[in-house]
Amino acid sequence: MRIITSLQFTSLVRRFATKRYASGKETELFGIVFPHPVGLGSGIERDASCVNSWQDLGFSFVEVGPLTVSPQTCQREASGRRLRTARGKDTRDINPGVMRAIKNLGKRRPGTIVAGNLLYSRDSDPVQAAVDYKHSFALLYEFVDYIVVPANRPGHPADDVDIPYLDATVSPLLDFRIGMDVIKPVVLKLMTRVSESDLEAVVDYSLRNGVDALSVDASQVRIAVALAGTRMPIIAHSARSAAHSAEALSQGAALVEVGASLALEGFSIVRKILKRI
């Protein structure tokens, strides 16, 4: 009982400390009011089992996943890999699949902002990827606040942008939500840096098709903001440090996602970023 009480007290202290720095930094994006612009990126909270704890540690939102239709060994070891390595754990993880995340999301506290990050199943071709995305999208839709879809094509380098592929996979998701009672935001995510011409093509696709926001590498925020202007918000991910995250926000990013830099700077990274903006 003493241990539980101590953990609860620590949680309250952390939340109080973060609120102190977050005061006046509320951010409204596609109808959602974020307490501040710093959240947890995908690859760390894979199945939403600890989604409430991340809020206690000061994060404004949590991007859960990436999630495939069914459980499988992860094909990508991104920011979450380095975090687990720093803790001395096995880097081979299992993607729990959408259904486990949905089960855990049923336990989240009111006010916890959660995004669901989708991923096609291993070895999917573009046709199968479109089926995977639509299935996961439909299952997850009512359990998250918004949905994130990667822009990279199965079997291609992550920096290779294919607009016909986006037409085949992302556009049906945008059409699907038209028939829903609530229109949930869709964020298109470029997983890595891309050429400026490819970035321009993705911005153009997003604006033409009603994508609600574009998530880009923190080093490309300035270019993305210049291309999108005021027509679409930009979210930053893969920042190298608290300073880099703060820089992305100063360049016009509406939100920033903390990933691998969490392993390097610890849970105080949220407070560090907020102090810099």
Side-chain angles (χ1 to χ4, degrees):
M1 182 60 71
R2 288 183 179 179
I3 294 176
I4 294 174
T5 303
S6 175
L7 289 173
Q8 290 175 339
F9 177 72
T10 302
S11 172
L12 289 172
V13 170
R14 286 171 175 161
R15 294 178 70 182
F16 173 79
T18 304
K19 285 181 180 179
R20 174 188 170 192
Y21 291 104
S23 178
K25 295 181 172 64
E26 292 83 3
T27 300
E28 184 172 355
L29 194 63
F30 31 69
I32 302 172
V33 178
F34 296 79
H36 59 76
V38 184
L40 184 73
S42 63
I44 298 175
E45 181 54 68
R46 290 189 178 274
D47 64 355
S49 58
C50 300
V51 70
N52 295 322
S53 299
W54 293 108
Q55 185 188 44
D56 291 340
L57 290 168
F59 291 91
S60 178
F61 63 94
V62 180
E63 188 172 311
V64 173
L67 296 166
T68 51
V69 173
S70 56
Q72 61 181 290
T73 302
C74 292
Q75 62 183 29
R76 299 189 74 248
E77 293 179 343
S79 57
R81 178 182 186 275
R82 280 175 281 182
L83 180 65
R84 288 192 297 276
T85 300
R87 292 177 174 176
K89 296 184 180 179
D90 186 0
T91 58
R92 297 302 298 173
D93 198 5
I94 299 298
N95 188 313
V98 170
M99 294 310 297
R100 186 191 297 181
I102 288 173
K103 180 179 178 180
N104 291 329
L105 286 170
K107 304 173 185 177
R108 68 165 166 158
R109 289 193 300 256
T112 303
I113 301 172
V114 177
N117 183 294
L118 304 186
L119 184 66
Y120 46 80
S121 298
R122 181 186 293 276
D123 300 326
S124 290
D125 58 26
V127 174
Q128 185 59 44
V131 174
D132 288 349
Y133 279 148
K134 194 166 185 178
H135 190 184
S136 297
F137 190 88
L139 289 170
L140 197 60
Y141 193 84
E142 67 176 288
F143 296 95
V144 295
D145 297 291
Y146 62 98
I147 296 178
V148 181
V149 186
N152 56 305
R153 175 176 175 172
H156 285 235
D159 59 352
D160 183 16
V161 173
D162 185 344
I163 299 301
Y165 166 74
L166 296 181
D167 285 327
T169 55
V170 180
S171 295
L173 305 182
L174 299 171
D175 294 337
F176 172 88
R177 60 181 183 165
I178 294 175
M180 304 301 289
D181 293 334
V182 177
I183 303 296
K184 297 269 180 93
V186 172
V187 175
L188 188 60
K189 189 169 192 174
L190 287 165
M191 302 302 293
T192 64
R193 288 176 55 90
V194 297
S195 68
E196 187 168 344
S197 61
D198 280 347
L199 181 56
E200 184 175 7
V202 173
V203 169
D204 180 65
Y205 166 84
S206 300
L207 292 172
R208 284 188 291 103
N209 290 276
V211 172
D212 296 277
L214 180 64
S215 181
V216 303
D217 187 283
S219 61
Q220 293 195 294
V221 165
R222 189 187 298 276
I223 300 173
V225 169
L227 290 170
T230 59
R231 297 171 293 175
M232 179 180 64
I234 301 298
I235 299 171
H237 65 81
S238 301
R240 299 183 300 272
S241 62
H244 193 198
S245 294
E247 180 184 7
L249 291 169
S250 70
Q251 291 175 345
L255 303 173
V256 64
E257 299 173 355
V258 172
S261 53
L262 175 61
L264 302 175
E265 300 192 39
F267 296 121
S268 63
I269 190 169
V270 178
R271 176 172 53 82
K272 292 176 182 177
I273 296 170
L274 294 175
K275 286 184 67 177
R276 288 174 175 268
I277 61 175

